[in-house]
Amino acid sequence: MAGIEECKALCDDKKFLAVLDVARGNLGMQSRLAHDPLTADPIRRHRFIGLVVRKDKSGEYKLGTIGTDAWDGRECFQNGLVCTWQDIFQEAAIVAAAPPSYRLTSIMGRTTVHDCKQLSRKTQTPVFLIGTGMDALKSVFYCDENTFKRFK
Amino acid sequence: MKSVYLAVLIFLSGCAHATEKFDADAFYGSPEIHPSSLIQMISNPKSALNKRVTVNGYFVSSGDSWLYLTSEHANVRDTLSAVNILDDTETGELNDTECNNGWVKIHGYYLAVFNKERREVQGRLIVDRMFSHAKGKYCWERKKAFPVEMLN
């Protein structure tokens, strides 16, 4: 795939790309688990799930917790047994996974593209959207406020 | 003679297929339906959890499916002013209906689910039938029963 001009710094960062691959694997697995009859999760079924990638003080990328609120621009920080909810804002990236029912055409559809750009605008954070369905498996899309392009 | 026999066979199989219909009263074990409002379901979910309900709202299916208080709430994806809908169809059928992005009346079941992320019981609305106020007709009806194990 050709490089995405709008994502030049991040998408050429080998450290980030390594973390992105880990995030893809985790999200793909969690999404599949939620839809498997034996491990079905009624909260995560047929929903986008996602996580936040942030850079720590030493310049290393860290993954946040996977949740259904990432697509709405919120993240849960575990505080004992409860969540402390915070709005996602100006982080390195959000990585989100579409449910398995989402084909490639659905991911590239007008509404998903609009929602992705809106999420990026609201959080001021680039979004990487991955497919988990049959024909969308292994696909990765990049979006920011103005762009939605296939990354892989 | 053979063509007559074939025609009769096709006709009978068509009849058999046409009689397949989801019987909600039989499935839920009761014809009792609890009319509700989104305001009640959002502010006091216990009043509607694990009950058959009817509720009006603005329906949007894009990635996730939500029933919003108003179209304005939908435009800004204010999911805190909405009820999440569980589209259990394999191909995300609710996304493709004429009801999408419109005012609807939903006949369904407000399923109580435990959200591990939030550590709280939440509701997800299972749709049995969806009526479009704009079109004046039902745009989607359930044909396949919801997985019973998820109702327990």
Side-chain angles (χ1 to χ4, degrees), chain B residues 138-152:
Chain B
Y138 283 97
C139 52
W140 191 83
E141 289 194 49
R142 175 175 292 282
K143 293 183 181 55
K144 197 173 156 189
F146 188 78
V148 172
E149 58 273 13
M150 296 201 97
L151 295 179
N152 300 324

Side-chain angles (χ1 to χ4, degrees), chain A residues 42 46 48 72 81 83 102, chain B residues 62-64 77 87 117 119 124:
Chain A
H46 301 286
F48 279 39
D72 295 327
L81 289 176
C83 270
Y102 253 56
Chain B
S62 60
D64 297 344
R77 276 187 66 87
D87 181 355
E117 297 154 24
R119 311 292 301 175
R124 288 193 82 184

Side-chain angles (χ1 to χ4, degrees), chain A residues 36-49:
Chain A
D36 187 279
L38 287 175
T39 52
D41 183 339
I43 279 290
R44 290 182 172 184
R45 260 177 97 136
H46 301 286
R47 292 194 68 175
F48 279 39
I49 58 173

Side-chain angles (χ1 to χ4, degrees), chain B residues 46-140:
Chain B
K46 284 180 187 172
S47 66
L49 281 175
N50 288 338
K51 288 180 184 163
R52 291 181 71 183
V53 296
T54 55
V55 61
N56 289 299
Y58 192 84
F59 174 66
V60 175
S61 179
S62 60
D64 297 344
S65 300
W66 294 89
L67 194 66
Y68 290 91
L69 277 176
T70 68
S71 56
E72 283 78 16
H73 286 92
N75 284 343
V76 296
R77 276 187 66 87
D78 181 12
T79 54
L80 293 176
S81 300
V83 158
N84 187 263
I85 289 174
L86 174 47
D87 181 355
D88 62 302
T89 61
E90 285 175 9
T91 54
E93 288 173 23
L94 295 182
N95 195 323
D96 293 329
T97 66
E98 290 179 286
C99 282
N100 200 356
N101 292 297
W103 283 96
V104 300
K105 180 170 193 160
I106 290 179
H107 301 248
Y109 185 89
Y110 198 37
L111 179 71
V113 290
F114 182 67
N115 188 325
K116 291 191 282 280
E117 297 154 24
R118 292 173 179 262
R119 311 292 301 175
E120 64 185 22
V121 174
Q122 288 185 330
R124 288 193 82 184
L125 187 55
I126 299 167
V127 180
D128 293 328
R129 284 188 299 167
M130 194 180 297
F131 178 85
S132 166
H133 287 293
K135 305 283 180 190
K137 63 176 183 178
Y138 283 97
C139 52
W140 191 83

